[in-house]
């Protein structure tokens, strides 16, 4: 079967063919515009050495800048021992000074979860440092 | 395929009949494929997008 078959003799078919051609052209333009607006790079096109070996390694690169600028070594160590999600929440709360509600939107979780993670994170840091001794207070 | 047969298939596709829609896609596959090339390369994602677009808009064609 071929769409060109009898197209000159069938008015409905000719009309539909023209309509379909226009529809496809417009849809293709929309598709291309959308592709341009949202540029993305395929993982296949990246060199292997550009990709982190594991997801953990990738997450570590996100926090490798030490956003808090810790001067206290034990605090930095304790912070690095926190789960990555908790680290990210603390960073967003205290470095980027964002509100729990905004963080919840970014991380796709509830504001209550953000608050819980903050409390747990701070509790762990406090406990680790106090147990280590010779910190004032 | 004669005029009547085509009209029945087209009417069925517009009404939401899957079999008729598939038949129509088969008939017009060369035309659809013609629009699926980007920079000379066939793009399967684009074809999926066009078929979805056609499925969602075919009811707008007035017989």
């Amino acid at each position: 079967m071929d769409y060109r078959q009898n197209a000159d003799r069938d008015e409905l078919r000719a009309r539909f063919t023209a309509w379909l051609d226009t529809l496809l052209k417009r849809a293709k333009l929309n598709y291309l515009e959308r592709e341009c607006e949202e540029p993305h790079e395929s993982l296949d096109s990246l060199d292997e050495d550009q990709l982190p070996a594991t997801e953990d390694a990738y997450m570590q690169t996100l926090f490798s800048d030490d956003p808090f600028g810790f001067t206290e070594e034990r605090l930095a160590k304790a912070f690095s021992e926190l789960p990555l999600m908790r680290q990210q929440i603390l960073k967003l709360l205290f470095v980027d000074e964002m509100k729990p509600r905004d963080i919840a939107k970014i991380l796709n979780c509830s504001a209550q979860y953000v608050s819980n993670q903050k409390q747990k994170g701070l509790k762990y840091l406090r406990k680790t440092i106090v147990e280590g001794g010779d910190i004032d207070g | 395929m004669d005029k009547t047969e085509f009209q029945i298939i087209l009417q069925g596709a517009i009404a939401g009949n899957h079999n008729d829609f598939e038949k129509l896609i088969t008939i017009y596959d060369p035309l659809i494929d013609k629009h699926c090339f980007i920079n000379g390369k066939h793009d399967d994602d684009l074809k999926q997008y066009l078929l979805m677009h056609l499925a969602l808009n075919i009811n707008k064609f007035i017989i």
Side-chain angles (χ1 to χ4, degrees):
Chain A
M1 286 192 283
D2 190 329
Y3 74 96
R4 287 162 292 202
Q5 182 188 343
N6 293 333
D8 52 338
R9 285 187 283 139
D10 187 342
E11 199 226 327
L12 175 66
R13 191 162 176 170
R15 209 155 49 80
F16 180 74
T17 305
W19 177 84
L20 181 61
D21 196 37
T22 310
L23 180 94
L24 293 173
K25 270 181 201 161
R26 287 181 184 164
K28 185 179 178 181
L29 282 176
N30 283 342
Y31 178 85
L32 292 173
E33 276 172 17
R34 222 177 51 172
E35 285 287 297
C36 292
E37 280 170 13
E38 299 167 13
H40 60 269
E41 197 166 4
S42 165
L43 285 176
D44 296 334
S45 66
L46 292 173
D47 293 334
E48 291 243 342
D49 54 349
Q50 284 181 287
L51 295 169
T54 62
E55 190 179 344
D56 283 348
Y58 170 70
M59 292 302 280
Q60 286 298 335
T61 61
L62 293 179
F63 302 105
S64 60
D65 296 334
D66 186 11
F68 286 94
F70 290 118
T71 52
E72 170 59 49
E73 192 181 331
R74 272 181 301 142
L75 185 57
K77 187 172 178 297
F79 183 78
S80 69
E81 287 167 359
L82 289 172
L84 291 174
M85 178 62 111
R86 217 166 280 174
Q87 287 184 26
Q88 190 173 8
I89 286 173
L90 290 179
K91 176 186 165 294
L92 292 171
L93 276 169
F94 297 110
V95 178
D96 299 340
E97 296 181 347
M98 291 175 71
K99 292 177 180 172
R101 193 188 303 165
D102 300 329
I103 297 171
K105 279 182 191 166
I106 292 174
L107 300 178
N108 198 22
C109 60
S110 68
Q112 184 60 48
Y113 176 78
V114 173
S115 298
N116 288 344
Q117 293 302 308
K118 174 193 164 189
Q119 294 304 327
K120 285 179 183 173
L122 292 179
K123 190 177 172 184
Y124 177 79
L125 293 177
R126 199 175 293 121
K127 185 183 159 204
T128 311
I129 290 169
V130 169
E131 279 176 0
D134 78 3
I135 291 278
D136 294 336
Chain B
M1 176 182 289
D2 60 15
K3 286 181 186 182
T4 320
E5 200 180 344
F6 178 78
Q7 188 170 354
I8 290 168
I9 289 174
L10 185 58
Q11 279 173 338
I14 290 171
N17 185 307
H18 288 236
N19 286 336
D20 287 338
F21 185 73
E22 277 179 23
K23 281 180 195 167
L24 202 65
I25 294 300
T26 310
I27 296 168
Y28 281 96
D29 194 49
L31 179 64
I32 296 167
D33 248 5
K34 191 190 91 173
H35 289 280
C36 295
F37 284 84
I38 299 176
N39 297 327
K41 277 181 72 180
H42 189 272
D43 191 317
D44 286 335
D45 291 339
L46 175 56
K47 184 160 187 178
Q48 285 297 316
Y49 179 81
L50 294 181
L51 290 174
M52 283 291 293
H53 194 76
L54 176 59
L56 292 171
N57 289 283
I58 193 164
N59 58 352
K60 290 178 185 166
F61 181 76
I62 300 162
I63 293 183

